[in-house]
Amino acid sequence: MNTKQRIELAARRRFALEGYEGLSLAALAEDVGIKKASLYAHIEGKEQLFKQVVEDMAERYDRVWREARDATVNAAPLERIEAIVETLIRFFEEEETWMLTKRMLLVPPPELRSFIETTLGTVETDLQAFEKEQFRLAMEQGALPEQSLEDVYDAYYCFLDGALLSLFTLETNRVKRQQAAFTVYKKGVGWI
């Protein structure tokens, strides 16, 4: 791993734990084992480094959901949705990823909010289009009763937001609650 990669990895950890405002370039340099002045041979500054971390996060997020999509190409639409749910929960439950996501979405640096929304929004747009298509196909194939696609998707999105938000909590029964919420959601839309 080269110095720039070590800087980006250490920055991701620091941004996750301390946020944008809390990141000290001196502490970051110390994490990497270089002098603060040497950082500037590899990065332009804190803002550029944060943007790189956000872009990396978006690329990893995009890659994992697409891998789940591709691994289930021959599965029924609702099985593909279940694979996406499991994949996203596994992806975001990794502590550093979840802490970084929480900071980016709940308390973003005001001057970088638009950048974050645009960068992650691109991934979200593609993922949502895929998910909606799976629900549409499930209705077309009779796996779900005919109903408002928007309502089915909006309720799904609320379930998924809740399942991911539960990752913030210190609960010991998080998995049980996520599974119960998914089961109730499925019953509500006629999935089960």
Side-chain angles (χ1 to χ4, degrees):
M1 182 179 299
N2 66 35
T3 303
K4 183 172 177 149
Q5 291 168 324
R6 289 192 351 256
I7 291 168
E8 289 173 2
L9 184 62
R12 186 169 80 197
R13 252 183 260 119
R14 287 265 178 191
F15 284 132
L17 295 173
E18 301 165 357
Y20 181 77
E21 291 81 6
L23 178 89
S24 156
L25 290 179
L28 178 63
E30 188 176 312
D31 289 350
V32 179
I34 61 176
K35 296 191 181 300
K36 181 180 174 184
S38 299
L39 276 176
Y40 294 101
H42 304 281
I43 65 168
E44 294 173 25
K46 187 158 100 171
E47 182 175 320
Q48 173 269 327
L49 187 57
F50 183 78
K51 286 180 175 180
Q52 181 58 45
V53 167
V54 171
E55 288 171 347
D56 176 64
M57 168 72 175
E59 288 170 15
R60 290 184 306 117
Y61 179 28
D62 192 52
R63 184 175 53 251
V64 298
W65 87 257
R66 289 181 189 278
E67 286 172 358
R69 176 200 65 191
D70 295 348
T72 59
V73 73
N74 294 320
L78 296 178
E79 290 173 18
R80 297 183 87 186
I81 291 292
E82 285 184 329
I84 292 291
V85 168
E86 290 169 13
T87 296
L88 294 180
I89 289 173
R90 269 195 321 273
F91 176 71
F92 285 109
E93 76 185 352
E94 190 275 317
E95 184 177 7
E96 188 177 289
T97 299
W98 187 238
M99 298 266 308
L100 181 61
T101 304
K102 176 177 78 168
R103 289 192 182 274
M104 285 191 309
L105 298 179
L106 298 180
V107 286
E111 66 275 21
L112 296 171
R113 180 183 203 109
S114 178
F115 174 80
I116 294 167
E117 288 173 353
T118 300
T119 304
L120 292 177
T122 302
V123 178
E124 283 283 315
T125 299
D126 292 347
L127 172 58
Q128 290 174 11
F130 171 77
E131 291 167 327
K132 283 182 181 178
E133 178 62 7
Q134 297 315 298
F135 284 117
R136 187 194 69 70
L137 287 170
M139 281 188 247
E140 183 180 283
Q141 295 170 6
L144 280 178
E146 284 295 324
Q147 58 197 303
S148 165
L149 177 59
E150 289 305 312
D151 288 350
V152 168
Y153 190 73
D154 288 346
Y156 164 78
Y157 207 82
C158 284
F159 148 73
L160 190 56
D161 277 349
L164 296 177
L165 189 60
S166 74
L167 298 172
F168 283 127
T169 66
L170 301 174
E171 299 171 21
T172 56
N173 63 345
R174 178 183 317 128
V175 172
K176 182 179 180 248
R177 290 184 71 196
Q178 289 168 339
Q179 291 171 343
F182 200 22
T183 298
V184 170
Y185 164 76
K186 289 176 179 180
K187 285 179 182 178
V189 297
W191 184 330
I192 296 178

